[in-house]
Amino acid sequence: MLPAGSPDVTVLHLSDLHLTPSHRDRVAWVKDLAALAPDAVVNTGDNLAHVEAVPVAVEALAPLLDRPGA
């Protein structure tokens, strides 16, 4: 719990992206979430839905990787 008067903290929670190499619109949407400037990012999995989707997931999440997270 934050002490009274503390500034707000924004946490972005991502889950169940189920990315495939053809999900270009979904990749763009995830990348755009960085504009929300979250203080922390929590990714709880199910990011991949295709054996070749690892580079796609890395691309999508790249703008968020400089944030603290789990």
Side-chain angles (χ1 to χ4, degrees), residues 1-46:
M1 179 177 281
L2 296 174
S6 294
D8 291 340
V9 174
T10 302
V11 177
L12 173 63
H13 175 217
L14 295 170
S15 181
D16 299 297
L17 297 176
H18 301 285
L19 293 169
T20 71
S22 64
H23 285 149
R24 302 313 309 166
D25 288 345
R26 194 171 306 173
V27 168
W29 175 76
V30 173
K31 290 169 78 170
D32 286 347
L33 293 174
L36 297 172
D39 298 300
V41 179
V42 177
N43 186 326
T44 54
D46 285 335

Side-chain angles (χ1 to χ4, degrees), residues 44-60:
T44 54
D46 285 335
N47 293 310
L48 309 177
H50 190 280
V51 69
E52 295 178 11
V54 171
V56 176
V58 171
E59 176 189 351

